[in-house]
Amino acid sequence: MKGIVGFCVVGALGALVVSGCAKEDVVKKDEAIVPSATTQTQQAEVKAAKSGPAETSAPAKQTPDRAGKEATLKAEPQSGGQLTSALEKIYFDFDSSALSNDARKTLANNAGLLRKGAADKLRIEGNCDERGSAEYNIALGEKRAEAAKKYLVTMGIPADRLTTVSYGKEKPVDLGHDESAWAKNRRDDFTILSK
């Protein structure tokens, strides 16, 4: 009798552990992952038509440094350094590694640039704001870098070209102590390692 009860308890605990360990989906199942070449061309044409000397609209909320990137994105990168500067950062909400719609769009653009430099290897660098312990932020930065890596793989970039590292809160771009500074520091940076 003890053996049967013990077996049932172990089985129930095993089922509970297995059901509680579901993986988080990085890409929503109903979301189109790869836009068609026609759509990308149309988006580029619309973007080119909108940008001009009279443009006065504010940069998108998702990328605080986007204004300087648009000119870089128009020129086709020739070297790893130019490609690194053309790749846009992605930003995260507080205490989150979930990719926003803006981050997904940015990653899709970055994937297009990476396809042009087919031999380039990329390091995805996860960063956090100053809040939280060093250990917590290292783990969160790693989750952020891994989320971007998984998304780039779904966009057709081979996983063996991608590496991740977490700097936690050790490499802030803004040293301020307010929400504006923290929002800039919750990011993934992209660095080309080699050809």
Side-chain angles (χ1 to χ4, degrees):
M1 182 71 171
K2 276 186 174 180
I4 294 173
V5 172
F7 180 74
C8 290
V9 170
V10 170
L13 287 175
L16 182 63
V17 168
V18 170
S19 67
C21 296
K23 298 290 182 193
E24 177 183 327
D25 286 335
V26 176
V27 179
K28 295 177 186 173
K29 294 191 185 316
D30 59 344
E31 176 179 285
I33 297 174
V34 182
S36 68
T38 305
T39 305
Q40 288 177 344
T41 304
Q42 290 170 347
Q43 288 173 350
E45 290 171 358
V46 169
K47 196 181 257 187
K50 285 184 180 178
S51 66
E55 181 174 305
T56 58
S57 63
K61 175 187 170 196
Q62 192 266 330
T63 55
D65 60 347
R66 183 178 215 130
K69 297 285 185 183
E70 291 195 13
T72 308
L73 287 173
K74 290 179 185 176
E76 187 168 322
Q78 299 296 320
S79 69
Q82 288 176 330
L83 182 55
T84 294
S85 65
L87 294 171
E88 290 188 64
K89 300 173 184 179
I90 61 170
Y91 297 87
F92 295 88
D93 290 332
F94 173 69
D95 197 28
S96 174
S97 61
L99 297 173
S100 67
N101 287 333
D102 286 337
R104 292 170 197 265
K105 289 175 189 173
T106 299
L107 286 171
N109 291 337
N110 287 352
L113 292 171
L114 288 168
R115 281 188 210 100
K116 292 178 184 176
D120 292 325
K121 292 189 183 259
L122 179 71
R123 180 175 59 223
I124 305 168
E125 303 168 349
N127 295 276
C128 300
D129 61 33
E130 66 184 353
R131 298 172 289 180
S133 69
E135 296 81 14
Y136 179 82
N137 282 325
I138 289 290
L140 180 57
E142 184 64 28
K143 287 179 185 176
R144 289 174 173 172
E146 285 294 326
K149 178 181 178 179
K150 287 178 186 176
Y151 195 80
L152 287 171
V153 169
T154 66
M155 298 296 294
I157 305 301
D160 63 348
R161 289 181 54 201
L162 306 172
T163 62
T164 61
V165 65
S166 174
Y167 293 119
K169 58 184 176 180
E170 301 305 315
K171 290 192 172 188
V173 293
D174 190 326
L175 299 175
H177 304 289
D178 59 8
E179 184 55 42
S180 172
W182 295 331
K184 293 175 189 172
N185 293 332
R186 296 189 303 258
R187 70 192 190 283
D188 278 349
D189 295 320
F190 303 93
T191 303
I192 298 299
L193 300 175
S194 66
K195 281 207 171 217

